[in-house]
Amino acid sequence: MEIFNHNSNIHFLRIRVFSVALAVVLMIASVAVIATRGLNYGLDFTGGVSLVVDYARPVQTGDVRDALDKGGIDNTVVQSVGGSREVSIRMQPTKAMLDAKGQVDLDKVASIVMQPLKAARSDATLKSRSSVSAEVGAELKSDGMVAAVFVILGIMAYLWIRFERRFAIAAVLTEIHDTLVTLGILALVRREFDMTVLASVLAVIGYSINDKVVVFDRIRELFRLARKAEPEEILNRSINSTLSRTIITSLFTGITMAALFFFGGQAVHNFAITMLIGIVVGTLSSIFVASPILLWLGVSKKDLMPVTRENPELARRP
Amino acid sequence: MSDFPRWKYALVALAMLFGIVYALPNAFVPLPAVQVTAANQGTPPVDGALRQKVADALAKEHIATDELVVQGDHLLATFANADVQKSGADAIKALLGDPYTVAFKLQSTVPGWLTAIHANSMPLGLDLQGGVHFLMQVDQSGVLDKLENSYADDIRSQLRGKNIRYESVTRSTVAGQGIVVVLRSAADRSSAADLIAGNSPDLAVTDGPSTGDRYVLYAAIKPTKLRDIALGTIKQNLATLRNRINALGVTEPLIQQQGEDHIVVELAGVQDPTKAKQLIGATATLEYRASDGYPGDARAVEAAQSGNIPPEDNLFYTSPNLGHLPVLVGKRAIVTGDQLVDASSGVDPNNGTPSVNVTLNASGASKMQDFTNNNVGKPMAVLLINTVYETSTVNGKEVRTPKTTTEVINDAQIQSPFGKQFSTNGLGSPKEASDLALLLKSGALAAPMDIVEQYVIGPSLGAENIRKGFDAVMLGLGLVLLAAAIYYKLFGLVADIALFFNLLILVAVMSMIGVTLTMPGIAGIVLTLGMAIDANVLICERVREELRNGSTPHAAIHAGYDKAWATILDANVTHLIAALALMTMGTGAIRGFGVTLGIGILTSMFTSVVMTHAFTALIHGRRKLKTLSV
């Protein structure tokens, strides 16, 4: 079975001005959205409030969660503590729970949370309430930045050694594009940004680089094989001949993430949606953005020929 | 089988066996259990009589137990599910009360022969199985004490330096008034006020009452400074706790500030709360101070006997292995434990005793340099300060009071100036030295902490979410397997088998090195599987291409694997670099995810290239082929 025509010869590079311009616009828009709306940081990053609720009779955490959901309080972490009659609830304060100065008002928090709980089970009583700090400390946020820089430098170094300087630059530029656009979409739809989403964004970086390297690999191969190599034609042929694998892989990875998204429940929801966005963005940029950049950087056949022993430069050396 | 060497078949067979055996323990679901241990030394021991008592109580409440046995010093009761376990624990707690610790436990059901070859199941994270919860209170008063003492010392030396005569400089007994300076005249008071305000911008200076020749001056620490200190204290304690928990290898902990002076710590899968308590609550720190004489010298012995300690000194004793001798030590610390950046244990090359090698931060190093430059030939003392909490019952209520012990572990002449790095000896044993080094390395707590609350928590995701997550994983995996088999036919089926073994080997490796499994970790496994198929897609597409270009089936397989390998290697190495960064730089969920991804990339490279090649060679090897099912 084949879905894609193996003789496809779509002229992807003909629309390079348009596709790259679109990519740049998307990038700028993403930066603007992130700057103005910001990311909707979750409990892990912002901290929130914590309540301990006592029940006279044993209670299931699922029931407590349902009661809170019914009362319009979502994104809560409910745990049973100590035994069967006590639960701890952690969540981010909503607007209604803040006082006039924008500070968390614990009395408001208590009354807003206890209302649906009391409605569901009259034997619920509040035992304690307090505010909690972010789980992710400032030093962890800076570690994340270091990790991102390390990824970019490491990938650049590897591609520089295995391929050539221009490939490293093109890969990293599209990489930054993919990450920014994914974050931009997250900011636009106000998805909660928590630890699992951060992990997912970092996984998007890994996925998209994987995708680009496959196309680059074919470009190198075709350059080396071709006798007369017109860069534009070589790049276009590379995209076309790897096209079915690019899409099939995206499809397969997408299927697993879609299963997580639709059936995996609240805990992996954000992870899966971020990954899905990243897969779409990464796949499109592998096809439409990475190669035009490479072309503009001026990649040519002679840059990619393996260094041979007959090189006169080498022979002259002692 | 010409193009596939025999040793590779053996390798593939071994890997498959390894995957099956070491992933197997995860199939044995642990039983919820309740463990009863004696809380104090005075408690009656856990024995058959106690077992009978518990059995009767549970029977009376109609709570069914699977097993109720005395194992060594504890009693273990296993239950059918978590709900019965909870009511069982409630009943046992009500029966036995305070003298016994009743803790939740998950009793492994992995057969002995598997654990004997170190095949264990993956520990589950907080979100999947819950863990222990500690609420700790940070004792801010200790920090304030230290700070006010050092300000009092400062003021004394400033006044002396400017020749302003004072009667006394003491800490106020009234809270919040800081330091009370008593001077002899109004003129002295105003010049002292100017001096203190000029030199210490964090102090608010106000005039107090004046009677006869006593002119009182109050120097209180400004509220903003106090708030900064309180914030700094709790921040440093949080950072220290994170370091300690990371150093001890408990993965995926939750560490959070709660309210103004509380810290919440939740540790997954920790089954022995007392041990966890020891490791997170330890508050040993070192302090370097100028010593006033040597251990056991005449002045120190006299001070110890008469109780007349010079005002500028403290009297401490050396540690028992140094003879428990009295020694007079200056009140001000030159360098404290929080200025320490690294510590390692070793052996002193000069005298062969255990030692701790210490590295200071820049400010600590410059202080140490200054002090040792000016005091060559004079003694310096190293103090080991330990805070423990003692529980006593006052008026029927439990009261916990901090008790600090300070001992001198080293007091020697400064031979030559030193700064950033130096070593301290005088420790009792190599074990003591390495324990101290671990504690110092993970940082000093800025203020002592006491565990005020401790209990077992349930999983934060709840059974339903866990089940949903598991179902989604199976569904996603099933769909990909199906899609690959349909699209690539026989080659797809081979890839499917390899993918299944990839999952087994991945789980086996993760179980073996003890990676904590969390929900994000599960998502990472799914992602790895989704991407692992990429290598096979690359191979299959290449084989198709070769066939289209007119190669024979055998040549197509050969060229397909050959040409795809370079691509797979490049793509996976770049991906591995990304995973490595997550592993080394991240913490918590990020690190767990990175570890999963990294192991997954390596196992998938093996299964999707070597294993599928072995199967393909086995299927197509000797036959003459006209077509390939790809």
Side-chain angles (χ1 to χ4, degrees), chain B residues 269-521:
Chain B
V270 173
Q271 291 172 349
D272 188 355
T274 37
K275 199 180 156 217
K277 236 155 113 173
Q278 275 170 2
L279 70 242
I280 56 174
T283 51
T285 183
L286 285 185
E287 216 169 271
Y288 294 83
R289 295 198 197 179
S291 179
D292 193 4
Y294 289 93
D297 67 10
R299 276 185 63 224
V301 172
E302 202 224 291
Q305 278 166 354
S306 65
N308 285 331
I309 299 155
E312 69 277 10
D313 286 338
N314 285 127
L315 181 76
F316 293 124
Y317 288 86
T318 58
S319 62
N321 56 311
L322 293 179
H324 197 72
L325 300 168
V327 55
L328 290 167
V329 176
K331 272 187 172 164
R332 287 185 78 176
I334 307 157
V335 166
T336 53
D338 49 355
Q339 284 161 316
L340 207 137
V341 289
D342 195 18
S344 62
S345 61
V347 173
D348 190 298
N350 297 324
N351 54 20
T353 60
S355 67
V356 175
N357 306 311
V358 162
T359 308
L360 297 177
N361 66 10
S363 78
S366 81
K367 277 184 197 156
M368 188 58 91
Q369 188 85 51
D370 284 351
F371 180 81
T372 51
N373 262 334
N374 300 328
N375 294 281
V376 172
K378 290 181 188 164
M380 183 174 75
V382 184
L383 309 182
L384 174 64
I385 302 162
N386 245 317
T387 307
V388 287
Y389 283 81
E390 286 187 338
T391 314
S392 54
T393 314
V394 180
N395 299 334
K397 269 192 171 177
E398 251 191 24
V399 180
R400 294 174 76 84
T401 41
K403 191 179 159 231
T404 305
T405 55
T406 306
E407 59 181 25
V408 177
I409 56 167
N410 182 291
D411 188 359
Q413 205 178 38
I414 299 165
Q415 304 288 345
S416 58
F418 53 85
K420 199 166 172 235
Q421 276 177 323
F422 52 91
S423 72
T424 295
N425 49 30
L427 289 144
S429 65
K431 168 103 175 60
E432 205 174 300
S434 68
D435 281 356
L436 181 62
L438 179 67
L439 268 177
L440 293 174
K441 196 175 170 175
S442 59
L445 294 170
M449 277 189 302
D450 180 26
I451 295 170
V452 288
E453 216 176 74
Q454 161 200 338
Y455 46 72
V456 175
I457 48 166
S460 53
L461 280 180
E464 198 192 314
N465 267 309
I466 296 169
R467 191 184 47 73
K468 270 189 193 164
F470 186 76
D471 289 352
V473 170
M474 287 301 137
L475 181 72
L477 188 61
L479 285 175
V480 168
L481 293 181
L482 192 69
I486 292 173
Y487 197 68
Y488 293 119
K489 292 173 219 136
L490 185 58
F491 269 71
L493 270 177
V494 169
D496 283 353
I497 297 170
L499 196 64
F500 175 73
F501 275 100
N502 185 17
L503 176 64
L504 279 191
I505 297 174
L506 175 60
V507 169
V509 174
M510 285 174 78
S511 311
M512 219 168 87
I513 60 177
V515 179
T516 306
L517 188 69
T518 58
M519 214 42 163

Side-chain angles (χ1 to χ4, degrees), chain B residues 74 108 120 228 237 306 419 427 460 499 514 560 604 612 616 626 628:
Chain B
H74 61 262
S108 166
N120 295 304
D228 284 352
N237 275 12
S306 65
L427 289 144
S460 53
L499 196 64
S604 78
T612 59
T616 311
K626 280 209 187 87
L628 277 181

Side-chain angles (χ1 to χ4, degrees), chain B residues 113-173:
Chain B
W113 65 271
L114 275 173
T115 44
I117 54 167
H118 299 287
N120 295 304
S121 50
M122 257 190 270
L124 303 179
L126 266 174
D127 50 351
L128 299 180
Q129 74 159 9
V132 280
H133 166 109
F134 295 106
L135 180 67
M136 299 195 275
Q137 182 160 29
V138 179
D139 181 10
Q140 298 270 16
S141 64
V143 182
L144 191 65
D145 282 358
K146 221 184 215 173
L147 196 71
E148 287 193 339
N149 278 332
S150 95
Y151 273 123
D153 284 346
D154 263 350
I155 290 170
R156 260 182 234 120
S157 68
Q158 279 170 30
L159 293 178
R160 245 179 276 140
K162 290 277 173 195
N163 277 326
I164 300 169
R165 288 173 57 215
Y166 61 90
E167 199 167 291
S168 64
V169 177
T170 47
R171 285 184 59 204
S172 169
T173 46

Side-chain angles (χ1 to χ4, degrees), chain B residues 516-551:
Chain B
T516 306
L517 188 69
T518 58
M519 214 42 163
I522 292 176
I525 293 178
V526 181
L527 181 67
T528 310
L529 293 179
M531 291 192 67
I533 203 87
D534 180 49
N536 293 110
V537 172
L538 277 165
I539 294 167
C540 292
E541 292 288 329
R542 270 295 183 159
V543 173
R544 283 182 175 182
E545 255 182 82
E546 294 298 322
L547 286 175
R548 276 199 297 270
N549 293 342
S551 304

Side-chain angles (χ1 to χ4, degrees), chain A residues 80 82 130-131 133 162 221 245, chain B residues 257-259 456 458 534 542 570:
Chain A
S80 74
S130 51
S131 51
S133 72
R162 282 282 292 174
E221 188 187 328
R245 113 69 231 187
Chain B
Q257 179 184 348
Q258 183 163 5
V456 175
D534 180 49
R542 270 295 183 159
D570 281 335

